[in-house]
Amino acid sequence: MAIVGVVRAVSKSTKIGIRYILGTTNVKSPFISYHSSVRLKSSPTTVVSPDATVDTARKSNEETPPERDPLDLTFENTQAAYKSKKTWELVRGLLVLKLSSYPYLVENHEKLLGLAQRILGKRLFQLLMKLTFYGHFVAGKDAQDIKPTIECLGSFGVKSILDYSAEEDLSEEEAKEAEMASCISAADETKSKDPSRMKQFQVYEQFADRRKYNVTARTYFYLSEAQCERNVDTFLKCIDAVAGATKSTGLAAIKMTALGRPQVLIQLSEVIVNTRKYFKEVTGTQKNMIMSNVKPSYIEHKLDDMHVNTHQDEVVKWLQQMDYDKKGLMNIFSWSDLVDMNYVLSELFKVPSIKTGRMEPLIRALTDEEEEMFKNMMRRLHYIAQVAREKDVRVMIDAEQTYFQPAISRITMELMRKYNKEKAIIFNTYQCYLKEAYNNVVLDLELAKRQGIFFGAKLVRGAYMEQERLRAKQGGYEDPINPTYEATSDMYERTLNEIMHQIITRGDRKIAIMVATHNEDTVRFTVNKMKELGIKPDEKLVCFGQLYGMCDQISFPLGQSGYSVYKYVPYGPVQEVLPYLSRRARENSSLLSKLNKERYLLRTEIIRRIKSGQVFHTPKGNYTPV
Ligand SMILES: Cc1cc2nc3c(=O)[nH]c(=O)nc-3n(C[C@H](O)[C@H](O)[C@H](O)COP(=O)(O)OP(=O)(O)OC[C@H]3O[C@@H](n4cnc5c(N)ncnc54)[C@H](O)[C@@H]3O)c2cc1C
């Protein structure tokens, strides 16, 4: 069914009418049709020529069979780690990591960079950055510029996840203003101070600038609908570049907060938590809905017991549209209808109140414009998913803060239901620093199994710990984060273990997982578990992910020994990726033991090359990524 929609993208300053033509079969040249219809300024990237990389790889494949090295799980084999690097790149890496180890430089780096720009001027400053931080952490200014890096990574068995990292450089005041305006509904007269509202879903001005508190992930602020369109444009270019550069093995990462007004994500997250409570109140069960074998008829019976008139038309309709199978309920509400834009939010999320017996909304009032903005967000997501499916590129939806995450995860599951019927196109992300991580994964695995779809997941520890903890303390609600680092690591291993066991016991090859971490113990744990369970590296059911410029001693030996491994490859012009570089410097400085090990490895390899006369080592790989 084709969905034809006209989006009235309304922002304070900009009004544009945008016509989408979305259709499950009508996406033959989606990239072009999107651009020509949207007519927005295109982002400053060009697309990697699809055939260049593939041809190079193919040519070298025909000449010599691909190499495979044994994997040294100490991750201390410097030759294996740095085969792909010239010696001056190792020296640059060492310099960058050394600079990141000085707390004074890290704390004052923004001021120092500003000073350097004023003294050196733009061109010399850019040169300085290319010789240091930019050169180490960023692959180039646009998709054309990064082509040699992607080819080089590929020839050493490492695939790429492209991430266009240019960011709006908003001041703290601007960020706060944008966040406060976009997280509170115009229909909310209490302006989020309503005491009946759950504390974690209230909006706190102190935390409005989400970039503060050591957040090491990219942050989007809602500026306008037009800006969201530009973000779609950027994600599509990434997908296109991935498709061209890596053929069917490519991945693109997206953040849902880049695609619409975040207020609805907060409100939907609150609805999800309230729905769980309502379910428990009505049924009296402590089990989660998906595991409870409860059918709509049981809910009807329980409501009768509570003297709710279940013969009212609205209640009859509500019971009929529940999402269930022979094992019982999967959802009280039809989220797929919502994501497919067949419902408006305020109509869908109503339940018969136990107190009044009347149908009452679980969601706070939204204006018509906000309803429309939610639909715009869903259209954008569908469009990205359709283009990705058409181009055989997988899309990873990043996990974000806990006040957005229940909605992000739920919407992602619905996208999986629609797009993961034949293979895993959409991947969800689970943060193991959350107390609920294991439970969330188990429930989603069960849901995916019952729906017969492919389950794709990225497992991370989590990037927003400091902010989450402070916010919970300030708001007076329970800290959602595990109490210690060890508890987070246990949660990671337990969750990963469960997923890998289900890969084996289910045997339908419908589960794919990315172990996204820089932690060597976690990688060792995964590799050993794969061996124990008989999951082969080239089955691509389990893959690994690290950031470009970090932990090469993990990524390259994995790739060179035939494991499926990805680097997140950021790209963008120097000036526009400075916020990204700030985060890398901050993250590095907080990982002192990792930093020390990497510096030791780099030094060892430089000395080894000097001693063995290999200073002019020319990287030449013949490894084919699996
Ligand atoms: C490819 C890739 C994709 C990623 N995508 C996402 C994403 O979508 N969303 C996201 O949130 N993050 C994402 N991250 C970041 C990730 O969540 C971690 O912040 C980062 O990788 C550091 O964790 P680690 O396992 O690599 O290293 P480690 O050093 O082993 O772990 C550090 C992490 O442990 C946890 N931790 C530290 N101290 C404590 C404590 N006292 N109590 C409890 N927990 C603690 C925190 O999560 C911290 O970030 C991604 C990382 C990679 C490599």
Side-chain angles (χ1 to χ4, degrees), residues 85-287:
K85 296 275 185 285
K86 293 183 181 145
T87 306
W88 70 264
E89 291 174 310
L90 301 184
V91 174
R92 181 182 63 193
L94 194 57
L95 173 72
V96 165
L97 297 189
K98 182 76 192 156
L99 291 173
S100 304
S101 70
Y102 293 114
Y104 176 82
L105 289 184
V106 174
E107 274 158 32
N108 296 292
H109 72 273
E110 273 151 350
K111 276 189 224 147
L112 293 168
L113 287 178
L115 187 69
Q117 285 198 63
R118 283 197 296 280
I119 295 173
L120 297 175
K122 198 173 166 192
R123 285 182 64 180
L124 270 180
F125 175 75
Q126 293 199 348
L127 185 65
L128 176 72
M129 292 308 289
K130 282 183 182 161
L131 290 172
T132 55
F133 284 87
Y134 181 90
H136 185 71
F137 288 116
V138 182
K141 69 176 187 309
D142 55 35
Q144 194 61 31
D145 203 26
I146 66 175
K147 223 169 85 176
T149 304
I150 295 173
E151 285 180 9
C152 177
L153 288 173
S155 70
F156 287 90
V158 177
K159 296 170 273 188
S160 300
I161 306 172
L162 297 192
D163 180 16
Y164 185 69
S165 296
E167 297 184 22
E168 309 272 345
D169 199 6
L170 298 183
S171 70
E172 189 177 335
E173 276 317 304
E174 287 167 333
K176 271 188 176 176
E177 202 181 306
E179 186 76 346
M180 293 307 284
S182 62
C183 282
I184 301 171
S185 166
D188 183 355
E189 281 162 15
T190 68
K191 295 292 166 228
S192 87
K193 296 284 181 283
D194 180 353
S196 70
R197 191 164 184 176
M198 293 178 76
K199 287 176 177 163
Q200 64 263 48
F201 302 115
Q202 295 191 6
V203 182
Y204 300 92
E205 193 166 357
Q206 182 191 336
F207 297 95
D209 183 357
R210 284 179 269 132
R211 300 165 303 181
K212 282 177 76 183
Y213 310 104
N214 262 342
V215 165
T216 51
R218 177 170 185 179
T219 305
Y220 288 91
F221 291 95
Y222 178 86
L223 299 174
S224 64
E225 292 293 292
Q227 180 59 45
C228 295
E229 295 302 329
R230 282 192 285 274
N231 292 340
V232 173
D233 193 33
T234 302
F235 290 142
L236 290 178
K237 289 206 166 191
C238 270
I239 290 174
D240 222 45
V242 170
T246 58
K247 268 293 176 232
S248 63
T249 54
L251 275 167
I254 70 165
K255 278 202 163 50
M256 231 180 252
T257 47
L259 298 177
R261 195 174 155 84
Q263 163 227 335
V264 186
L265 292 176
I266 300 180
Q267 287 186 246
L268 283 178
S269 295
E270 192 172 9
V271 165
I272 290 167
V273 176
N274 280 334
T275 309
R276 285 182 198 142
K277 272 206 228 152
Y278 179 82
F279 175 80
K280 285 181 181 165
E281 263 170 36
V282 172
T283 60
T285 171
Q286 283 313 303
K287 282 191 186 163

Side-chain angles (χ1 to χ4, degrees), residues 399 431 433 458 461-463 465 484-485 488 517-519 594:
Q431 297 154 311
Y433 64 16
K458 173 176 63 158
R461 277 187 170 73
M465 181 178 75
T484 59
Y485 173 73
T488 292
T517 180
H518 298 131
N519 184 309
K594 278 203 193 95

Side-chain angles (χ1 to χ4, degrees), residues 446-471:
E446 174 67 14
L447 199 59
K449 185 176 164 189
R450 279 162 65 176
Q451 291 168 346
I453 55 168
F454 283 78
F455 177 78
K458 173 176 63 158
L459 219 55
V460 298
R461 277 187 170 73
Y464 311 95
M465 181 178 75
E466 198 180 324
Q467 183 197 7
E468 294 282 6
R469 286 233 157 107
L470 278 169
R471 194 177 184 275

